[in-house]
Amino acid sequence: MRRIAFLCSPSNSFMELGKQHCYHLLPDSQLQNETSERKWRKEVIKSDTPKHKSDQKEGAGHRRSRINKYVLAAGILASTNSVLLGYDIGVMSGAVLYIRDHLKITSSQLEIMVGSLNVCSLIGSLASGKTSDSIGRRYTIVLAAATFLIGAILMGLAPSFPFLMAGRVVAGIGVGYSLMIGPVYTAEISPAITRGFLSSLPEVFINIGILLGYISNYALSSLPEYINWRLMLGLAALPALFVALAVIVMPESPRWLVMKGRLVEAKQVLIKISDSEEEADMRLAEMAKAAETMEQEPSSSGWHGQGVWKELLRPSRPIRRILIAAIGVNFFMQASGNDAVIYYSPEVFKDAGIHDRKQQVGVTIIMGIAKTCFVFISALFLDHFGRRPLLLLGSTGMAVSLVGLGLGSKYLQISYDKPVWAIALCIVAVCADVSFFSIGLGPITWVYSSEIFPMRFRAQGSSLAISINRLVSGIVSMTFLSISDKITFGGMFFALAGIMAVGTVFFYFFLPETRGKSLEEIEILFDDNPPDGKYNSKFFCFAH
């Protein structure tokens, strides 16, 4: 067995690397290949000239705003996994109406069933970081889709509540894997100038999945009760099967390949996802320089993410700041109650005076269309306006919308005639709430979580932050109805508005802007002496 070692003369300038390299065939039993790759890596790092730095002020290729078609295709395929979570959120909002009647389950069992997927996704989120560091980003995406596929089949065939719960557990693990790996993979293959758009694609597909779930509810609601909810849940197997097969044609993340010491393969991938070989060289040099700080062995090919968790649990000050930002934005994403509002929107509309089930499901379709439209708008402008402005706009808008929803719900609670204006206020406020979520927290949480961690910490750091996301989502989903029964829906919405007001303050002080910077440059924002940014002074004052 023989393989290719990539060599480069020490005298080569950086811009000549792509043209003057040579190849040697070496026996696999020798260490010369690994040594050559390490020498080549050091040459790339040494040739990090001032000219190269100026070229990369905003990352390689940032002067061009057009999206590489190969990167776009890979990002879409990786993000398609998120359709699975979105479809489950959307379809369960209608399916629970029929599951409750057919299986004769209580409100507590209903909450456990809905929230169990989010709680069990915590398992997948925690495991996904280590898994993706070991087997790679691409095969972790396949694993996520395959796991959800099994869960969807179990839910569709469930003859009883325990069987249905087993399917929810398995599907939840798959969801946990997909929520971490999709944004991380997309961030690692994307150039900085379009990373915001591409990394927000998972939220776009979550919203597409929610809309598809609503449409499925509406289309299948007229079928007999014993079969309609099974079809609603079982149809999720189709996109899972598509993702599991389509991901095989995707390239591996070049940053993961660099961490594993597979620089030749990384260069080949970068050539495909860059506009020129020179740009590929620039990006590879930046990655190699970042990877050089994490090497502990003669070759990083034996690295499988070991030691990362220890450093995350006992972090340095820069890593602690990153953890505060990543965990904070994930916490507020789910503490906003967005998932619970979507899951239980028919119950909310019923409480508002809309009693016909077909009408309840029809209103959720309007809500789904609003969410999907606004997440597309956010994705398109995320790289133009930046993360912070859209995040602050979204969280402020959610707080105001939730206050309006609380006022409408409170008025309907004390009113006997259920005036049309109050019902309309609730419908508009719900649509506004989910729309502002789709502008800010929805897409930006995935983007921010996947881009602020250093290369060595990215997968497992993101998995930790998203585990908090899943845990809070499960808690909110499993307690939303119970708390609302105690303090009414109006009181619940006022509480959520208060949470979003606190979240807005947190985002202002703890989240520096990352627009236009390469993943390696973003690390500097959280150092003790950040180079620029008017928000950094506020950030470091509170996160020191």
Side-chain angles (χ1 to χ4, degrees), residues 394-407 429 432-433 436 497 500-501:
S395 58
T396 303
M398 287 182 71
V400 174
S401 301
L402 286 165
V403 169
L405 183 55
L407 291 172
D433 176 53
F436 277 113
M500 287 318 302

Side-chain angles (χ1 to χ4, degrees), residues 174-242:
V175 165
Y177 270 99
S178 65
L179 286 179
M180 190 288 292
I181 195 59
V184 166
Y185 173 85
T186 307
E188 290 191 338
I189 66 169
S190 305
I193 194 65
T194 54
R195 190 179 60 249
F197 168 73
L198 293 169
S199 297
S200 64
L201 286 178
E203 181 65 19
V204 172
F205 278 94
I206 286 176
N207 282 274
I208 291 173
I210 291 172
L211 184 57
L212 290 175
Y214 288 155
I215 294 172
S216 175
N217 286 338
Y218 192 83
L220 300 174
S221 59
S222 58
L223 295 177
E225 196 173 77
Y226 69 91
I227 190 67
N228 58 7
W229 65 267
R230 299 180 194 280
L231 285 175
M232 291 175 186
L233 299 181
L235 285 175
L238 296 179
L241 182 62
F242 167 77

Side-chain angles (χ1 to χ4, degrees), residues 245-288:
L245 296 176
V247 166
I248 295 175
V249 303
M250 292 164 48
E252 184 52 85
S253 161
R255 285 179 169 87
W256 181 80
L257 292 171
V258 169
M259 285 193 295
K260 301 292 284 185
R262 294 156 60 176
L263 297 176
V264 176
E265 295 173 63
K267 174 68 178 293
Q268 292 169 348
V269 172
L270 283 168
I271 289 175
K272 292 181 180 179
I273 65 176
S274 301
D275 292 330
S276 66
E277 189 168 345
E278 287 75 14
E279 181 185 328
D281 282 327
M282 290 179 184
R283 295 175 67 181
L284 184 57
E286 198 171 44
M287 295 175 196

Side-chain angles (χ1 to χ4, degrees), residues 77-366:
L77 284 176
S79 303
T80 304
N81 238 356
S82 300
V83 168
L84 308 178
L85 173 62
Y87 182 83
D88 182 85
I89 292 173
V91 83
M92 282 301 293
S93 67
V96 292
L97 301 174
Y98 306 101
I99 294 173
R100 169 185 269 175
D101 293 342
H102 184 234
L103 298 182
K104 310 299 181 186
I105 61 177
T106 65
S107 293
S108 297
Q109 288 177 311
L110 185 66
E111 285 182 319
I112 292 172
M113 180 192 68
V114 171
S116 60
L117 183 135
N118 294 317
V119 172
C120 293
S121 65
L122 173 67
I123 301 172
S125 297
L126 283 172
S128 59
K130 185 75 171 180
T131 301
S132 64
D133 279 340
S134 298
I135 67 174
R137 315 310 196 211
R138 185 177 57 164
Y139 289 116
T140 303
I141 295 174
V142 176
L143 177 62
T147 306
F148 190 92
L149 172 64
I150 296 170
I153 293 173
L154 290 175
M155 288 190 291
L157 299 177
S160 62
F161 180 70
F163 203 97
L164 178 59
M165 284 297 299
R168 301 283 294 168
V169 169
V170 176
I173 295 173
V175 165
Y177 270 99
S178 65
L179 286 179
M180 190 288 292
I181 195 59
V184 166
Y185 173 85
T186 307
E188 290 191 338
I189 66 169
S190 305
I193 194 65
T194 54
R195 190 179 60 249
F197 168 73
L198 293 169
S199 297
S200 64
L201 286 178
E203 181 65 19
V204 172
F205 278 94
I206 286 176
N207 282 274
I208 291 173
I210 291 172
L211 184 57
L212 290 175
Y214 288 155
I215 294 172
S216 175
N217 286 338
Y218 192 83
L220 300 174
S221 59
S222 58
L223 295 177
E225 196 173 77
Y226 69 91
I227 190 67
N228 58 7
W229 65 267
R230 299 180 194 280
L231 285 175
M232 291 175 186
L233 299 181
L235 285 175
L238 296 179
L241 182 62
F242 167 77
V243 172
L245 296 176
V247 166
I248 295 175
V249 303
M250 292 164 48
E252 184 52 85
S253 161
R255 285 179 169 87
W256 181 80
L257 292 171
V258 169
M259 285 193 295
K260 301 292 284 185
R262 294 156 60 176
L263 297 176
V264 176
E265 295 173 63
K267 174 68 178 293
Q268 292 169 348
V269 172
L270 283 168
I271 289 175
K272 292 181 180 179
I273 65 176
S274 301
D275 292 330
S276 66
E277 189 168 345
E278 287 75 14
E279 181 185 328
D281 282 327
M282 290 179 184
R283 295 175 67 181
L284 184 57
E286 198 171 44
M287 295 175 196
K289 185 175 182 180
E292 190 73 9
T293 63
M294 56 162 277
E295 283 195 56
Q296 300 174 345
E297 303 176 10
S299 171
S300 58
S301 60
W303 187 79
H304 301 287
Q306 59 269 28
V308 172
W309 269 104
K310 181 179 178 181
E311 294 182 57
L312 287 173
L313 295 177
R314 301 181 64 181
S316 62
R317 276 199 302 199
I319 296 299
R320 183 165 63 248
R321 293 170 185 139
I322 291 172
L323 285 171
I324 290 172
I327 291 175
V329 72
N330 276 275
F331 170 83
F332 283 108
M333 178 189 191
Q334 296 304 336
S336 69
N338 180 78
D339 282 4
V341 169
I342 295 173
Y343 273 129
Y344 300 115
S345 54
E347 298 284 340
V348 174
F349 295 137
K350 180 181 177 181
D351 188 70
I354 302 174
H355 298 289
D356 183 82
R357 284 189 174 177
K358 198 97 173 179
Q359 290 179 348
Q360 291 172 6
V361 175
V363 174
T364 61
I365 292 179
I366 297 174

Side-chain angles (χ1 to χ4, degrees), residues 12-61:
N12 286 346
S13 68
F14 178 75
M15 298 302 293
E16 293 173 334
L17 289 175
K19 300 176 181 177
Q20 298 186 12
H21 56 257
C22 55
Y23 297 89
H24 292 276
L25 292 175
L26 297 174
D28 215 19
S29 59
Q30 296 182 13
L31 296 176
Q32 294 174 346
N33 188 51
E34 294 177 359
T35 303
S36 299
E37 290 213 10
R38 284 174 55 76
K39 286 181 180 177
W40 180 81
R41 180 193 303 233
K42 289 177 180 176
E43 275 309 313
V44 171
I45 294 167
K46 269 194 225 175
S47 53
D48 191 12
T49 62
K51 181 179 185 299
H52 167 57
K53 282 293 185 185
S54 64
D55 285 343
Q56 292 204 68
K57 177 63 179 173
E58 294 185 346

